[in-house]
Amino acid sequence: MLDDGTASTVEDKSADESADDSPQTSPQRSPYPPPQQSVQQPPQQFHQEFTPLPEWQSAPQSASGPAEQVEPPPALLRAATTGAVFLCLVTALVHVLLVFLHVAPANPLSQRYSRQINAWVFPLFEQNWRLFAPDPESVNRQISARTMHTAPDGAVRTSGWFDLTAVDNAAVNHDPFPSHTAQNMLRRAWSSYLDNHLVDDRPRTQRALMTQQYLTNIASDRVAARRGGSFEALQLRVVTVPIARPVPAGGAGADAVAPRAPETRFLPWWKVEGTSRGN
């Protein structure tokens, strides 16, 4: 006969064996999702984002580090600007002084430095007027030209006179806006020739030779454009007709204001540049 302690032990073992012999069943899943558990997130860290600059805005970097933009010192920039302004002012004052001496009446200063004055004024700043002493035209000039051509058989042929002044006058008359070349080119060329040549028409200075060549080029171009033909030499004839002074009131003294006789001047034959001119 078993006591109570032994009986309980036997019952426990038999219960365990019956539990082991019974088939194991998997736990049933609930149709409802499990409850979500709140997970504590770590605190967010905010990082400052920088947008890279384009290449043309970024400063070039050297091996030693980022290069800095070098600017000229303000004192150096100020000195350069002051020097440039001072140089411009000095040049302007010298120009005004030399042009004034050129157009002013002859004086010891302009005569002493005439070479330097002419070197500065000619040919870019030439003035066609005189200060304090106006000199209006008192004569009319008629400039004509003729050409010379040597034929293949050796015969020398000379053309008739061609009136260059009449061509200019025809271009100016009845034209409200005449060309500057028609008004002044031939006249100014002849005036410059007179200022640099004596009565023998021999050029004694480089400027005299230049004015002679300038006058020859004008005449030869106009003759070739109007007449055509070939020629190797050219001659000019200048007829100077004085302008009569106005007759006093009442007609008295008519003999005193009688015009002088025209003067005719023949210039030497000048060789035209090149083998020939014209067609």
Side-chain angles (χ1 to χ4, degrees):
M1 191 169 182
L2 300 174
D3 56 0
D4 295 337
T6 307
S8 60
T9 304
V10 171
E11 290 178 357
D12 292 338
K13 290 182 178 181
S14 62
D16 293 337
E17 291 177 358
S18 62
D20 295 337
D21 296 338
S22 62
Q24 296 182 0
T25 58
S26 60
Q28 296 183 356
R29 296 181 179 179
S30 174
Y32 303 99
Q36 296 181 359
Q37 297 180 359
S38 60
V39 180
Q40 187 177 3
Q41 299 289 341
Q44 295 183 359
Q45 297 180 358
F46 297 94
H47 299 278
Q48 187 176 5
E49 297 181 357
F50 295 92
T51 304
L53 294 176
E55 294 183 359
W56 62 272
Q57 290 184 353
S58 59
Q61 296 183 357
S62 60
S64 59
E68 296 182 357
Q69 214 172 12
V70 180
E71 295 183 357
L76 181 61
L77 185 61
R78 192 181 306 110
T81 305
T82 304
V85 173
F86 178 76
L87 182 61
C88 293
L89 290 177
V90 171
T91 305
L93 291 176
V94 171
H95 173 73
V96 171
L97 177 61
L98 294 178
V99 172
F100 173 80
L101 293 176
H102 174 69
V103 300
N107 55 79
L109 188 60
S110 63
Q111 292 176 355
R112 180 177 180 180
Y113 297 101
S114 60
R115 189 173 182 179
Q116 291 80 357
I117 294 173
N118 292 335
W120 178 270
V121 171
F122 295 106
L124 299 178
F125 308 112
E126 182 180 3
Q127 305 294 316
N128 187 25
W129 59 286
R130 291 292 180 268
L131 190 64
F132 309 129
D135 187 16
E137 291 287 347
S138 59
V139 296
N140 290 325
R141 293 186 175 93
Q142 179 186 12
I143 304 176
S144 303
R146 64 177 179 178
T147 61
M148 183 173 60
H149 173 62
T150 303
D153 57 358
V156 178
R157 298 174 183 176
T158 303
S159 68
W161 290 104
F162 178 71
D163 195 344
L164 302 175
T165 305
V167 176
D168 286 350
N169 293 338
V172 172
N173 292 337
H174 310 295
D175 188 351
F177 303 102
S179 171
H180 175 75
T181 58
Q183 296 182 87
N184 300 318
M185 179 179 286
L186 184 62
R187 181 179 61 84
R188 289 291 299 122
W190 175 249
S191 298
S192 299
Y193 181 87
L194 288 179
D195 292 340
N196 294 275
H197 289 77
L198 300 177
V199 293
D200 59 357
D201 296 312
R202 294 179 57 185
R204 291 176 172 80
T205 63
Q206 188 66 27
R207 177 166 177 78
L209 185 61
M210 182 184 67
T211 56
Q212 174 182 317
Q213 189 61 49
Y214 180 56
L215 186 60
T216 304
N217 292 341
I218 294 176
S220 59
D221 289 342
R222 297 192 179 186
V223 170
R226 293 281 179 166
R227 283 187 170 180
S230 300
F231 53 91
E232 295 80 31
L234 177 140
Q235 185 184 27
L236 295 180
R237 180 188 66 186
V238 182
V239 179
T240 304
V241 181
I243 300 176
R245 291 179 295 176
V247 179
D255 296 337
V257 295
R260 293 174 296 171
E263 298 178 0
T264 303
R265 181 174 178 177
F266 292 93
L267 275 66
W269 284 95
W270 292 330
K271 187 177 180 180
V272 178
E273 284 189 352
T275 57
S276 63
R277 275 296 180 97
N279 300 326

